[in-house]
Amino acid sequence: MADTYRNFREKLLEGEVTCKNNVESYLARAKNKSNLNAFLQLFDESAEAAEKVDSKVKAGTAGKLAGMVLAVKDVIAIKDKRLTCGSKILENFVSVYDATVIERLKSEDVIIVGKTNMDEFAMGSSTEYSAYGPVLNPVDTTRVPGGSSGGSAAAVAAGLCHVALGTDTGGSIRQPASFCGVVGLKPTYGRVSRYGLVAFASSFDVIGPFANSVYDAALILEVLAGHDERDSTSAERAVPSYTSFLDRDVKNFRVGIAKGPDKVGTGIADEVREAIEKQIDILRAAGVEIKEVSMPHLDYTIPTYYILATAEASSNLERYDGARYGYRAKDAEELSEGSYGEDVYVKSRTEGFGAEVKRRIMLGTFVLSAGYYDAYYRKAQKVRRLIKEDFDKAFQDVDAIITPTAPTTAFKFGAKTSDPLQMYLSDIFTVSANLAGIPGISVPVGKDSQSLPIGLQLLGRQFEEETILTLANFIEQWTIR
Ligand code: GLN
Protein backbone atom coordinates (compact mmCIF):
# COMPACT_ATOMS: atom_id res chain seq x y z
CA MET A 1 0.00 0.00 0.00
CA ALA A 2 2.62 2.52 1.05
CA ASP A 3 4.76 3.26 -1.98
CA THR A 4 8.17 4.87 -1.96
CA TYR A 5 8.92 8.03 -3.88
CA ARG A 6 11.80 6.24 -5.57
CA ASN A 7 9.43 3.69 -7.12
CA PHE A 8 6.98 6.35 -8.15
CA ARG A 9 9.70 8.43 -9.78
CA GLU A 10 10.81 5.52 -11.92
CA LYS A 11 7.27 5.01 -13.16
CA LEU A 12 6.86 8.75 -13.71
CA LEU A 13 9.96 9.01 -15.84
CA GLU A 14 8.89 5.93 -17.81
CA GLY A 15 5.60 7.70 -18.53
CA GLU A 16 3.57 5.01 -16.76
CA VAL A 17 1.94 7.42 -14.29
CA THR A 18 1.23 11.12 -14.01
CA CYS A 19 1.68 13.39 -11.00
CA LYS A 20 -1.88 14.60 -11.33
CA ASN A 21 -3.50 11.16 -11.21
CA ASN A 22 -1.21 10.14 -8.46
CA VAL A 23 -1.96 13.17 -6.30
CA GLU A 24 -5.67 12.70 -6.86
CA SER A 25 -5.53 9.13 -5.67
CA TYR A 26 -3.48 10.13 -2.63
CA LEU A 27 -6.01 12.84 -1.75
CA ALA A 28 -8.87 10.36 -2.15
CA ARG A 29 -7.09 7.88 0.10
CA ALA A 30 -6.45 10.57 2.71
CA LYS A 31 -10.16 11.42 2.74
CA ASN A 32 -11.02 7.78 3.01
CA LYS A 33 -8.77 7.50 6.03
CA SER A 34 -9.95 10.66 7.72
CA ASN A 35 -10.75 8.56 10.81
CA LEU A 36 -7.01 8.52 11.52
CA ASN A 37 -7.14 12.31 12.05
CA ALA A 38 -3.65 12.53 10.58
CA PHE A 39 -4.37 15.69 8.58
CA LEU A 40 -5.54 19.04 9.89
CA GLN A 41 -5.86 20.39 6.34
CA LEU A 42 -5.88 18.78 2.91
CA PHE A 43 -5.02 20.84 -0.15
CA ASP A 44 -7.36 19.82 -2.97
CA GLU A 45 -5.77 22.41 -5.22
CA SER A 46 -2.51 20.45 -5.14
CA ALA A 47 -3.85 18.42 -8.09
CA GLU A 48 -3.43 21.57 -10.21
CA ALA A 49 0.13 22.04 -9.04
CA ALA A 50 0.70 18.43 -10.02
CA GLU A 51 -0.50 19.10 -13.53
CA LYS A 52 2.15 21.79 -13.91
CA VAL A 53 4.80 19.34 -12.75
CA ASP A 54 3.57 16.87 -15.37
CA SER A 55 4.26 19.43 -18.09
CA LYS A 56 7.73 19.99 -16.69
CA VAL A 57 8.35 16.25 -16.70
CA LYS A 58 7.39 16.12 -20.37
CA ALA A 59 9.65 19.07 -21.14
CA GLY A 60 12.50 17.45 -19.23
CA THR A 61 12.77 20.39 -16.82
CA ALA A 62 11.27 18.83 -13.68
CA GLY A 63 13.03 19.14 -10.33
CA LYS A 64 14.84 16.51 -8.33
CA LEU A 65 11.74 15.63 -6.28
CA ALA A 66 9.18 15.97 -9.07
CA GLY A 67 5.78 14.76 -8.00
CA MET A 68 6.80 13.72 -4.50
CA VAL A 69 3.60 13.72 -2.47
CA LEU A 70 4.47 15.51 0.75
CA ALA A 71 2.65 16.22 4.02
CA VAL A 72 3.91 18.89 6.39
CA LYS A 73 3.64 19.01 10.18
CA ASP A 74 1.49 21.98 11.12
CA VAL A 75 4.32 23.78 12.88
CA ILE A 76 6.06 24.75 9.61
CA ALA A 77 4.91 27.83 7.69
CA ILE A 78 3.37 27.50 4.24
CA LYS A 79 2.35 30.80 2.64
CA ASP A 80 -1.39 31.50 2.76
CA LYS A 81 -2.13 28.35 4.77
CA ARG A 82 -3.27 28.06 8.34
CA LEU A 83 -0.49 27.34 10.84
CA THR A 84 -2.09 26.04 14.03
CA CYS A 85 0.74 24.19 15.80
CA GLY A 86 -2.01 21.86 17.05
CA SER A 87 -3.14 24.67 19.33
CA LYS A 88 -6.36 26.57 19.78
CA ILE A 89 -4.36 29.74 20.31
CA LEU A 90 -3.35 29.74 16.61
CA GLU A 91 -6.56 28.25 15.25
CA ASN A 92 -7.10 31.00 12.69
CA PHE A 93 -3.55 32.09 12.11
CA VAL A 94 -2.53 32.16 8.42
CA SER A 95 1.12 32.23 7.47
CA VAL A 96 2.30 35.10 5.28
CA TYR A 97 5.44 33.39 4.06
CA ASP A 98 6.99 30.01 3.25
CA ALA A 99 9.51 28.40 5.56
CA THR A 100 12.90 27.92 3.90
CA VAL A 101 12.37 24.16 3.71
CA ILE A 102 9.07 24.71 1.93
CA GLU A 103 10.66 27.10 -0.56
CA ARG A 104 13.39 24.59 -1.29
CA LEU A 105 11.00 21.69 -1.72
CA LYS A 106 8.64 23.65 -3.94
CA SER A 107 11.51 24.62 -6.19
CA GLU A 108 12.23 20.91 -6.67
CA ASP A 109 8.58 20.30 -7.65
CA VAL A 110 7.30 18.58 -4.55
CA ILE A 111 3.50 18.50 -4.25
CA ILE A 112 2.29 19.44 -0.78
CA VAL A 113 -1.03 17.73 -0.08
CA GLY A 114 -1.75 18.88 3.45
CA LYS A 115 -0.73 19.74 6.98
CA THR A 116 -0.54 17.11 9.67
CA ASN A 117 -1.82 16.90 13.21
CA MET A 118 0.55 17.11 16.17
CA ASP A 119 0.80 17.55 19.92
CA GLU A 120 0.19 21.18 20.78
CA PHE A 121 3.39 23.15 20.07
CA ALA A 122 5.17 19.80 19.60
CA MET A 123 5.02 19.01 23.30
CA GLY A 124 4.18 15.37 23.81
CA SER A 125 4.95 11.82 22.81
CA SER A 126 1.57 10.48 21.72
CA THR A 127 -0.28 13.22 19.78
CA GLU A 128 -2.98 13.03 22.46
CA TYR A 129 -2.21 16.67 23.32
CA SER A 130 -3.46 18.10 20.04
CA ALA A 131 -6.28 20.63 20.44
CA TYR A 132 -7.82 18.93 17.38
CA GLY A 133 -8.13 15.43 18.77
CA PRO A 134 -5.67 12.53 18.80
CA VAL A 135 -4.20 10.77 15.75
CA LEU A 136 -4.82 7.02 15.49
CA ASN A 137 -1.96 4.67 14.74
CA PRO A 138 -2.75 3.11 11.34
CA VAL A 139 -1.17 -0.17 12.43
CA ASP A 140 -3.60 -0.51 15.36
CA THR A 141 -6.18 2.24 15.78
CA THR A 142 -6.60 1.56 19.49
CA ARG A 143 -3.04 2.83 19.98
CA VAL A 144 -1.20 6.12 19.77
CA PRO A 145 1.05 6.88 16.78
CA GLY A 146 3.69 8.44 19.06
CA GLY A 147 4.41 12.12 19.05
CA SER A 148 4.69 14.90 18.72
CA SER A 149 4.77 14.45 14.90
CA GLY A 150 2.13 11.70 15.08
CA GLY A 151 0.12 12.96 12.11
CA SER A 152 3.16 12.90 9.81
CA ALA A 153 4.18 9.41 10.92
CA ALA A 154 0.65 8.07 10.52
CA ALA A 155 0.25 9.69 7.08
CA VAL A 156 3.40 8.00 5.77
CA ALA A 157 2.57 4.65 7.37
CA ALA A 158 -0.98 4.65 6.00
CA GLY A 159 0.22 5.49 2.49
CA LEU A 160 -1.37 8.95 2.46
CA CYS A 161 1.81 10.60 1.14
CA HIS A 162 5.28 9.50 0.04
CA VAL A 163 7.17 11.56 2.60
CA ALA A 164 6.20 13.87 5.48
CA LEU A 165 8.07 16.57 7.36
CA GLY A 166 8.23 16.45 11.13
CA THR A 167 10.23 18.20 13.79
CA ASP A 168 12.38 16.67 16.50
CA THR A 169 13.14 18.55 19.72
CA GLY A 170 13.46 15.51 21.96
CA GLY A 171 12.44 12.59 19.76
CA SER A 172 9.33 13.74 17.93
CA ILE A 173 10.42 12.31 14.58
CA ARG A 174 12.14 9.13 15.70
CA GLN A 175 9.67 7.92 18.35
CA PRO A 176 6.53 8.19 16.16
CA ALA A 177 8.48 6.66 13.25
CA SER A 178 9.20 3.72 15.51
CA PHE A 179 5.56 3.39 16.67
CA CYS A 180 4.18 3.53 13.12
CA GLY A 181 6.82 1.39 11.40
CA VAL A 182 8.39 3.98 9.09
CA VAL A 183 11.81 5.59 8.73
CA GLY A 184 12.33 8.85 10.67
CA LEU A 185 15.44 11.00 10.44
CA LYS A 186 16.50 13.75 12.82
CA PRO A 187 19.34 15.65 11.17
CA THR A 188 22.22 17.33 13.02
CA TYR A 189 21.18 20.55 14.77
CA GLY A 190 21.89 23.32 12.26
CA ARG A 191 21.89 21.06 9.20
CA VAL A 192 18.41 22.24 8.15
CA SER A 193 17.15 25.83 8.35
CA ARG A 194 14.58 26.57 11.06
CA TYR A 195 13.36 29.71 9.34
CA GLY A 196 9.58 29.43 9.27
CA LEU A 197 9.46 26.73 11.93
CA VAL A 198 7.50 27.84 15.00
CA ALA A 199 9.94 27.63 17.89
CA PHE A 200 9.47 25.24 20.81
CA ALA A 201 13.01 24.92 22.22
CA SER A 202 15.28 26.77 19.83
CA SER A 203 18.56 25.10 20.77
CA PHE A 204 17.01 21.64 20.17
CA ASP A 205 14.50 21.99 17.31
CA VAL A 206 15.29 20.33 13.96
CA ILE A 207 13.15 19.63 10.89
CA GLY A 208 13.46 16.20 9.30
CA PRO A 209 11.63 13.63 7.16
CA PHE A 210 9.47 10.54 7.63
CA ALA A 211 9.63 8.11 4.72
CA ASN A 212 8.89 4.57 3.67
CA SER A 213 12.53 3.93 2.85
CA VAL A 214 15.95 5.10 3.95
CA TYR A 215 16.63 6.11 0.35
CA ASP A 216 13.68 8.52 0.27
CA ALA A 217 14.78 10.07 3.57
CA ALA A 218 18.33 10.52 2.25
CA LEU A 219 17.07 12.01 -1.00
CA ILE A 220 14.87 14.65 0.59
CA LEU A 221 17.62 15.56 3.05
CA GLU A 222 19.77 16.56 0.08
CA VAL A 223 17.19 19.27 -0.62
CA LEU A 224 16.33 20.21 2.98
CA ALA A 225 19.91 20.64 4.16
CA GLY A 226 22.15 23.61 3.67
CA HIS A 227 22.94 27.09 4.88
CA ASP A 228 20.24 29.72 5.05
CA GLU A 229 21.17 33.32 5.75
CA ARG A 230 17.82 33.77 7.50
CA ASP A 231 18.78 31.23 10.19
CA SER A 232 22.09 32.12 11.80
CA THR A 233 22.32 28.68 13.43
CA SER A 234 22.20 26.89 10.08
CA ALA A 235 25.59 25.51 9.16
CA GLU A 236 27.68 26.69 6.25
CA ARG A 237 28.89 23.21 5.41
CA ALA A 238 28.56 21.63 2.01
CA VAL A 239 25.68 19.17 1.66
CA PRO A 240 26.84 15.67 0.71
CA SER A 241 25.01 13.57 -1.84
CA TYR A 242 23.56 11.32 0.85
CA THR A 243 21.99 8.82 -1.53
CA SER A 244 25.34 8.05 -3.14
CA PHE A 245 26.66 6.71 0.18
CA LEU A 246 23.87 4.25 0.89
CA ASP A 247 25.20 1.15 -0.83
CA ARG A 248 28.62 1.26 0.76
CA ASP A 249 29.84 -1.97 2.34
CA VAL A 250 29.27 -1.76 6.08
CA LYS A 251 32.23 -4.05 6.76
CA ASN A 252 34.64 -2.47 9.26
CA PHE A 253 32.16 0.16 10.39
CA ARG A 254 32.39 0.41 14.17
CA VAL A 255 29.12 0.52 16.07
CA GLY A 256 28.73 1.17 19.79
CA ILE A 257 26.29 -0.10 22.34
CA ALA A 258 25.85 2.53 25.02
CA LYS A 259 26.47 1.39 28.55
CA GLY A 260 25.69 3.71 31.41
CA PRO A 261 23.97 3.80 34.76
CA ASP A 262 20.31 2.87 34.62
CA LYS A 263 18.98 4.06 37.95
CA VAL A 264 15.87 5.58 36.42
CA GLY A 265 15.18 2.30 34.65
CA THR A 266 14.64 2.47 30.92
CA GLY A 267 11.66 0.10 31.14
CA ILE A 268 12.69 -1.59 27.92
CA ALA A 269 10.35 -4.36 26.78
CA ASP A 270 11.85 -7.83 26.26
CA GLU A 271 10.69 -8.09 22.67
CA VAL A 272 12.21 -4.71 21.84
CA ARG A 273 15.52 -5.74 23.39
CA GLU A 274 15.52 -9.03 21.47
CA ALA A 275 14.76 -7.32 18.17
CA ILE A 276 17.69 -4.93 18.65
CA GLU A 277 20.03 -7.73 19.69
CA LYS A 278 19.12 -9.67 16.59
CA GLN A 279 20.08 -6.70 14.42
CA ILE A 280 23.36 -6.36 16.28
CA ASP A 281 24.10 -10.02 15.44
CA ILE A 282 23.28 -9.37 11.78
CA LEU A 283 25.61 -6.37 11.72
CA ARG A 284 28.35 -8.37 13.39
CA ALA A 285 27.98 -11.14 10.82
CA ALA A 286 28.36 -8.52 8.09
CA GLY A 287 31.73 -7.51 9.48
CA VAL A 288 30.68 -4.56 11.61
CA GLU A 289 32.77 -4.19 14.70
CA ILE A 290 30.50 -3.99 17.76
CA LYS A 291 31.86 -2.31 20.89
CA GLU A 292 30.56 -1.14 24.22
CA VAL A 293 30.85 2.58 24.82
CA SER A 294 30.51 4.19 28.20
CA MET A 295 27.94 6.94 28.71
CA PRO A 296 28.29 7.93 32.36
CA HIS A 297 25.65 10.66 32.23
CA LEU A 298 22.90 8.65 30.56
CA ASP A 299 20.70 8.80 33.64
CA TYR A 300 20.51 12.58 33.47
CA THR A 301 19.22 13.03 29.95
CA ILE A 302 15.50 13.23 30.75
CA PRO A 303 15.77 15.72 33.66
CA THR A 304 18.29 17.83 31.75
CA TYR A 305 16.09 17.94 28.67
CA TYR A 306 12.93 18.77 30.60
CA ILE A 307 14.63 21.66 32.39
CA LEU A 308 16.24 23.22 29.33
CA ALA A 309 13.44 22.58 26.84
CA THR A 310 10.77 23.97 29.17
CA ALA A 311 12.93 27.01 29.93
CA GLU A 312 13.29 27.78 26.25
CA ALA A 313 9.61 27.06 25.62
CA SER A 314 8.46 29.41 28.36
CA SER A 315 10.39 32.18 26.66
CA ASN A 316 9.38 31.26 23.08
CA LEU A 317 5.69 31.04 23.96
CA GLU A 318 5.58 34.49 25.56
CA ARG A 319 4.59 35.94 22.20
CA TYR A 320 1.09 34.39 22.31
CA ASP A 321 -0.46 37.11 24.39
CA GLY A 322 -3.83 37.66 22.76
CA ALA A 323 -2.65 41.06 21.54
CA ARG A 324 -0.35 40.59 18.58
CA TYR A 325 -1.93 37.64 16.79
CA GLY A 326 -3.74 34.42 17.47
CA TYR A 327 -6.56 33.75 19.89
CA ARG A 328 -7.87 36.59 22.04
CA ALA A 329 -10.34 35.97 24.86
CA LYS A 330 -13.72 37.40 24.00
CA ASP A 331 -14.65 38.91 27.34
CA ALA A 332 -11.24 40.28 28.33
CA GLU A 333 -10.93 43.83 29.55
CA GLU A 334 -9.15 45.90 26.91
CA LEU A 335 -5.87 47.74 27.36
CA SER A 336 -6.66 51.11 28.82
CA GLU A 337 -5.11 53.78 30.94
CA GLY A 338 -4.06 52.29 34.22
CA SER A 339 -4.29 48.75 32.83
CA TYR A 340 -1.50 46.85 31.11
CA GLY A 341 -3.95 44.48 29.61
CA GLU A 342 -3.23 41.69 32.07
CA ASP A 343 -6.76 40.56 31.62
CA VAL A 344 -6.21 40.03 27.88
CA TYR A 345 -2.99 38.09 28.48
CA VAL A 346 -4.28 35.97 31.31
CA LYS A 347 -7.63 35.09 29.80
CA SER A 348 -6.30 34.52 26.27
CA ARG A 349 -3.50 32.27 27.47
CA THR A 350 -5.73 30.45 29.93
CA GLU A 351 -8.30 29.68 27.26
CA GLY A 352 -5.92 29.27 24.33
CA PHE A 353 -3.30 26.86 25.69
CA GLY A 354 -3.89 23.24 26.64
CA ALA A 355 -2.87 21.67 29.96
CA GLU A 356 0.46 20.22 28.84
CA VAL A 357 1.64 23.50 27.31
CA LYS A 358 0.70 25.32 30.52
CA ARG A 359 2.60 22.75 32.54
CA ARG A 360 5.71 23.36 30.40
CA ILE A 361 5.42 27.14 30.65
CA MET A 362 5.13 26.94 34.43
CA LEU A 363 8.03 24.50 34.74
CA GLY A 364 10.17 26.62 32.45
CA THR A 365 9.35 29.83 34.25
CA PHE A 366 10.14 28.18 37.55
CA VAL A 367 13.57 26.87 36.53
CA LEU A 368 14.49 30.30 35.17
CA SER A 369 13.27 32.25 38.18
CA ALA A 370 15.90 34.21 40.12
CA GLY A 371 16.03 31.98 43.18
CA TYR A 372 16.27 28.71 41.27
CA TYR A 373 18.25 29.64 38.17
CA ASP A 374 21.57 28.31 39.46
CA ALA A 375 20.09 25.17 40.96
CA TYR A 376 18.23 24.12 37.84
CA TYR A 377 18.87 25.98 34.60
CA ARG A 378 22.58 26.64 35.02
CA LYS A 379 23.20 23.16 36.36
CA ALA A 380 21.30 21.58 33.47
CA GLN A 381 23.42 23.56 31.01
CA LYS A 382 26.52 22.05 32.60
CA VAL A 383 25.10 18.55 32.43
CA ARG A 384 24.20 19.11 28.77
CA ARG A 385 27.88 19.80 28.15
CA LEU A 386 28.88 16.57 29.98
CA ILE A 387 26.44 14.54 27.88
CA LYS A 388 27.89 16.09 24.73
CA GLU A 389 31.38 15.14 25.95
CA ASP A 390 30.25 11.54 26.57
CA PHE A 391 29.28 11.38 22.89
CA ASP A 392 32.47 13.08 21.68
CA LYS A 393 34.47 10.50 23.55
CA ALA A 394 32.37 7.57 22.35
CA PHE A 395 32.65 8.72 18.74
CA GLN A 396 36.43 8.49 18.94
CA ASP A 397 35.95 4.72 19.14
CA VAL A 398 32.85 4.12 17.07
CA ASP A 399 31.14 5.56 13.99
CA ALA A 400 27.60 5.15 15.28
CA ILE A 401 25.70 4.10 18.40
CA ILE A 402 22.77 1.70 18.40
CA THR A 403 19.80 1.81 20.80
CA PRO A 404 16.13 0.98 20.62
CA THR A 405 14.25 4.10 19.48
CA ALA A 406 11.72 3.77 22.27
CA PRO A 407 11.53 1.41 25.25
CA THR A 408 8.21 -0.06 24.11
CA THR A 409 6.03 -0.37 21.05
CA ALA A 410 2.97 1.87 20.60
CA PHE A 411 0.89 2.15 23.75
CA LYS A 412 -2.89 2.42 24.19
CA PHE A 413 -4.72 5.74 24.29
CA GLY A 414 -4.83 7.14 27.80
CA ALA A 415 -2.06 4.86 29.07
CA LYS A 416 0.27 7.75 29.97
CA THR A 417 -1.83 10.89 30.04
CA SER A 418 -2.48 10.75 33.78
CA ASP A 419 1.23 10.64 34.64
CA PRO A 420 3.37 13.20 32.79
CA LEU A 421 6.60 11.56 33.95
CA GLN A 422 5.64 8.27 32.28
CA MET A 423 4.97 10.18 29.07
CA TYR A 424 8.34 11.96 29.33
CA LEU A 425 10.12 8.63 29.81
CA SER A 426 9.08 7.48 26.33
CA ASP A 427 11.85 9.80 25.11
CA ILE A 428 14.56 8.16 27.17
CA PHE A 429 16.55 6.96 24.15
CA THR A 430 15.93 9.93 21.89
CA VAL A 431 16.54 13.13 23.91
CA SER A 432 20.29 12.64 24.24
CA ALA A 433 20.73 13.30 20.50
CA ASN A 434 18.98 16.65 20.87
CA LEU A 435 21.03 17.56 23.92
CA ALA A 436 24.22 16.80 21.96
CA GLY A 437 22.98 18.16 18.61
CA ILE A 438 23.86 14.92 16.80
CA PRO A 439 21.87 13.16 14.06
CA GLY A 440 19.69 10.12 14.70
CA ILE A 441 17.54 7.81 12.63
CA SER A 442 14.84 5.30 13.48
CA VAL A 443 14.47 2.34 11.13
CA PRO A 444 11.81 -0.40 11.44
CA VAL A 445 13.17 -3.79 12.49
CA GLY A 446 10.14 -6.03 12.56
CA LYS A 447 7.19 -6.41 14.87
CA ASP A 448 6.44 -7.68 18.34
CA SER A 449 4.00 -10.50 19.13
CA GLN A 450 1.08 -8.06 18.84
CA SER A 451 2.21 -7.07 15.34
CA LEU A 452 3.33 -3.64 16.51
CA PRO A 453 6.40 -2.14 14.81
CA ILE A 454 9.74 -1.93 16.62
CA GLY A 455 12.23 0.80 15.76
CA LEU A 456 16.00 0.72 15.97
CA GLN A 457 17.85 3.98 16.51
CA LEU A 458 21.29 4.85 15.15
CA LEU A 459 23.07 7.96 16.40
CA GLY A 460 26.01 9.49 14.56
CA ARG A 461 28.63 12.21 14.73
CA GLN A 462 27.55 15.77 14.02
CA PHE A 463 27.13 16.33 10.27
CA GLU A 464 27.75 12.66 9.48
CA GLU A 465 24.24 11.70 8.47
CA GLU A 466 25.70 9.55 5.70
CA THR A 467 27.08 7.06 8.23
CA ILE A 468 23.79 6.36 9.99
CA LEU A 469 21.94 6.41 6.68
CA THR A 470 24.26 3.75 5.25
CA LEU A 471 23.85 1.52 8.30
CA ALA A 472 20.09 2.07 8.34
CA ASN A 473 19.91 1.23 4.66
CA PHE A 474 21.79 -2.01 5.29
CA ILE A 475 19.41 -2.91 8.11
CA GLU A 476 16.42 -2.09 5.94
CA GLN A 477 17.67 -4.39 3.18
CA TRP A 478 18.01 -7.24 5.65
CA THR A 479 14.81 -6.76 7.54
CA ILE A 480 11.61 -8.28 6.36
CA ARG A 481 9.08 -5.81 7.59
N1 GLN B 1 8.24 14.23 23.59
C1 GLN B 1 9.19 15.29 23.79
C2 GLN B 1 8.53 16.45 24.48
O1 GLN B 1 7.42 16.34 24.79
C3 GLN B 1 9.80 15.69 22.50
C4 GLN B 1 8.95 16.59 21.71
C5 GLN B 1 9.57 16.96 20.41
O2 GLN B 1 10.58 16.38 19.98
N2 GLN B 1 8.99 17.95 19.79
O3 GLN B 1 9.12 17.46 24.72
Side-chain angles (χ1 to χ4, degrees), residues 73 118-119 121-126 129 147-149 167-176 200-201 204-206 305-306 309-310 356 360 423-424 426-427 430-431 434:
K73 185 179 184 181
M118 56 183 282
D119 282 302
F121 285 104
M123 298 172 186
S125 309
S126 68
Y129 298 142
S148 65
S149 317
T167 59
D168 195 312
T169 303
S172 281
I173 292 176
R174 292 160 286 156
Q175 185 256 21
F200 160 10
F204 297 81
D205 298 341
V206 188
Y305 169 80
Y306 277 93
T310 56
E356 180 61 24
R360 305 276 180 125
M423 190 72 93
Y424 298 172
S426 9
D427 305 320
T430 48
V431 292
N434 303 77

Side-chain angles (χ1 to χ4, degrees), residues 1-12 17-19 22-23 25-26 29 39 65-71 109-113 152-153 155-165 182-183 209-217 219-220:
M1 179 178 55
D3 198 11
T4 61
Y5 172 68
R6 189 185 200 175
N7 273 342
F8 167 77
R9 188 179 167 85
E10 248 170 51
K11 289 186 257 169
L12 180 70
V17 290
T18 67
C19 296
N22 188 55
V23 165
S25 63
Y26 269 92
R29 199 151 54 219
F39 282 97
L65 304 179
M68 174 185 276
V69 179
L70 185 87
D109 294 322
V110 158
I111 313 288
I112 301 173
V113 288
S152 288
V156 171
L160 312 183
C161 56
H162 290 129
V163 177
L165 294 186
V182 299
V183 173
F210 289 91
N212 276 309
S213 70
V214 173
Y215 181 92
D216 280 4
L219 182 69
I220 194 173

Side-chain angles (χ1 to χ4, degrees), residues 31-259:
K31 284 176 192 163
N32 229 322
K33 292 264 176 193
S34 62
N35 67 311
L36 296 176
N37 204 22
F39 282 97
L40 293 176
Q41 299 171 67
L42 272 178
F43 306 148
D44 281 322
E45 68 281 13
S46 55
E48 286 150 43
E51 218 172 343
K52 289 197 188 118
V53 178
D54 281 325
S55 331
K56 283 193 179 177
V57 172
K58 272 202 199 104
T61 58
K64 179 170 177 164
L65 304 179
M68 174 185 276
V69 179
L70 185 87
V72 176
K73 185 179 184 181
D74 203 13
V75 70
I76 298 170
I78 303 181
K79 192 174 184 316
D80 299 328
K81 300 292 182 197
R82 277 192 299 126
L83 174 57
T84 70
C85 300
S87 180
K88 188 178 163 193
I89 215 157
L90 288 174
E91 190 169 12
N92 297 311
F93 179 74
V94 175
S95 174
V96 292
Y97 64 88
D98 274 335
T100 297
V101 290
I102 299 297
E103 247 175 28
R104 290 194 178 167
L105 293 169
K106 281 181 176 171
S107 71
E108 294 297 343
D109 294 322
V110 158
I111 313 288
I112 301 173
V113 288
K115 298 202 86 179
T116 57
N117 202 351
M118 56 183 282
D119 282 302
E120 185 175 3
F121 285 104
M123 298 172 186
S125 309
S126 68
T127 320
E128 289 166 291
Y129 298 142
S130 165
Y132 304 98
V135 175
L136 313 189
N137 189 324
V139 181
D140 174 348
T141 53
T142 67
R143 291 172 189 271
V144 303
S148 65
S149 317
S152 288
V156 171
L160 312 183
C161 56
H162 290 129
V163 177
L165 294 186
T167 59
D168 195 312
T169 303
S172 281
I173 292 176
R174 292 160 286 156
Q175 185 256 21
S178 156
F179 279 15
C180 292
V182 299
V183 173
L185 172 67
K186 172 223 177 284
T188 304
Y189 180 79
R191 181 71 290 188
V192 176
S193 167
R194 288 181 295 117
Y195 180 76
L197 162 65
V198 178
F200 160 10
S202 311
S203 75
F204 297 81
D205 298 341
V206 188
I207 296 173
F210 289 91
N212 276 309
S213 70
V214 173
Y215 181 92
D216 280 4
L219 182 69
I220 194 173
L221 184 63
E222 292 175 7
V223 175
L224 294 173
H227 180 62
D228 174 13
E229 59 182 23
R230 291 172 297 187
D231 172 5
S232 60
T233 63
S234 72
E236 289 195 44
R237 298 170 71 115
V239 178
S241 161
Y242 297 109
T243 48
S244 68
F245 286 94
L246 297 184
D247 293 323
R248 277 183 299 176
D249 190 349
V250 296
K251 194 163 174 225
N252 299 330
F253 273 53
R254 297 165 306 162
V255 171
I257 304 169
K259 281 282 173 265

